Amino acid sequence: MKAFSGIALVALSLTLAACGKNEEAAKPSGDPVAAVAAPAGTSWSETIAETPDGYFVMGNPSAKVKLIEYGSYTCSHCKDFSAEASEEIKKIVDTGKMSFEFRTYLRDPIDLTTALLARCGGKDIFYPLSEQFFANQSAMFEKVQGNEAAFQGVDKLPAAQRPGAIAQIAGLVEYAQQRGISADQAKICLADTAVAEKLAKNVEKANTEYQIQGTPSFLINGVLLDNVASWSALSPKLKEAGL
């Protein structure tokens, strides 16, 4: 997508990570973790809380194992991970042993646009909506490539209007409408520059704290895993953490 380079995400500079990394063997650690039942009538995978940084955590807030993913909605490896791992992660989260937190890592303007829409329905539908945006990734790119002239012109718009314009070009407004986000609601979310800047600042914070080199990247209990970008590589590390 050559047009990405011509559009500023917000008035902040970002170090963009690559999509995908090499795999590396896991280091053993951790004793077996005991299961924790969810409160009666609930499940941990449907228990979502917002963090002070504006992310959404799924699961037992006191879980012994805390898994964090830094992922990008425009990264093909993140799309593959979502397809392979989402249901498996929910199964583990439902044991109460682990919580899961997806942190949006912005790599380009379409990423920002999708992130704003994924949050638009609130915490309770953030995860299912994110999974569906990943599933729509190829179709989204096809629409953008089919409207390259319009996409090239987006950088001439005021910053607050760019995500809305990109969403229309990429077919994301209609896609979100089919999943319960009204056109008016989407318009408000896409124009929210305060949220956009917060997401961008969170990327800068991640770069400072963890030196993120690619997406997806994973943390277990605050420790960045080296060169893990697939469920087949992550699963053994979760087992070694006691799951």
Side-chain angles (χ1 to χ4, degrees):
M1 306 298 296
K2 293 184 289 184
F4 290 165
S5 60
I7 303 175
L9 289 172
V10 289
L12 294 168
S13 61
L14 298 177
T15 300
L16 302 186
C19 178
K21 303 180 290 184
N22 296 324
E23 308 294 3
E24 184 175 277
K27 297 178 181 178
S29 63
D31 297 322
V33 176
V36 180
T42 68
S43 67
W44 284 127
S45 62
E46 294 179 344
T47 302
I48 313 295
E50 185 169 359
T51 73
D53 284 335
Y55 297 118
F56 299 121
V57 180
M58 175 198 303
N60 176 8
S62 300
K64 296 294 185 182
V65 177
K66 301 184 186 301
L67 174 64
I68 294 172
E69 174 189 355
Y70 280 97
S72 158
Y73 290 111
T74 60
C75 170
S76 62
H77 296 279
C78 299
K79 171 189 172 182
D80 293 343
F81 181 81
S82 176
E84 294 168 0
S86 291
E87 292 306 315
E88 297 301 321
I89 286 174
K90 289 174 194 173
K91 289 177 186 176
I92 300 173
V93 167
D94 275 333
T95 68
K97 300 177 182 181
M98 182 183 84
S99 63
F100 175 65
E101 182 180 345
F102 179 81
R103 295 183 176 179
T104 307
Y105 193 94
L106 305 178
R107 299 170 57 248
D108 53 65
I110 297 178
D111 227 343
L112 173 61
T113 299
T114 310
L116 292 172
L117 284 174
R119 301 171 56 83
C120 200
K123 63 183 178 64
D124 293 331
I125 67 168
F126 171 77
Y127 281 100
L129 197 54
S130 290
E131 291 169 24
Q132 292 172 56
F133 277 126
F134 276 121
N136 184 58
Q137 187 185 98
S138 296
M140 173 183 70
F141 283 150
E142 287 176 5
K143 289 182 183 296
V144 172
Q145 289 166 349
N147 291 276
E148 187 171 354
F151 189 71
Q152 291 280 4
V154 169
D155 62 346
K156 297 180 176 64
L157 297 173
Q161 296 178 21
R162 294 173 193 171
I166 291 171
Q168 290 291 349
I169 293 167
L172 293 177
V173 173
E174 181 180 359
Y175 191 78
Q177 279 183 275
Q178 295 168 354
R179 285 149 185 84
I181 307 296
S182 71
D184 288 342
Q185 187 180 4
K187 183 178 180 180
I188 292 171
C189 292
L190 290 164
D192 194 334
T193 54
V195 171
E197 290 182 9
K198 187 172 186 177
L199 290 172
K201 287 178 180 177
N202 283 344
V203 173
E204 291 190 330
K205 182 178 179 182
N207 288 338
T208 299
E209 292 183 357
Y210 305 114
Q211 291 79 52
I212 302 296
Q213 297 297 312
T215 55
S217 285
F218 301 94
L219 282 70
I220 293 180
N221 292 343
V223 177
L224 182 68
L225 304 181
D226 292 332
N227 299 316
V228 172
S230 67
W231 176 244
S232 62
L234 176 61
S235 182
K237 293 202 171 189
L238 294 175
K239 291 178 181 176
E240 288 163 3
L243 301 177

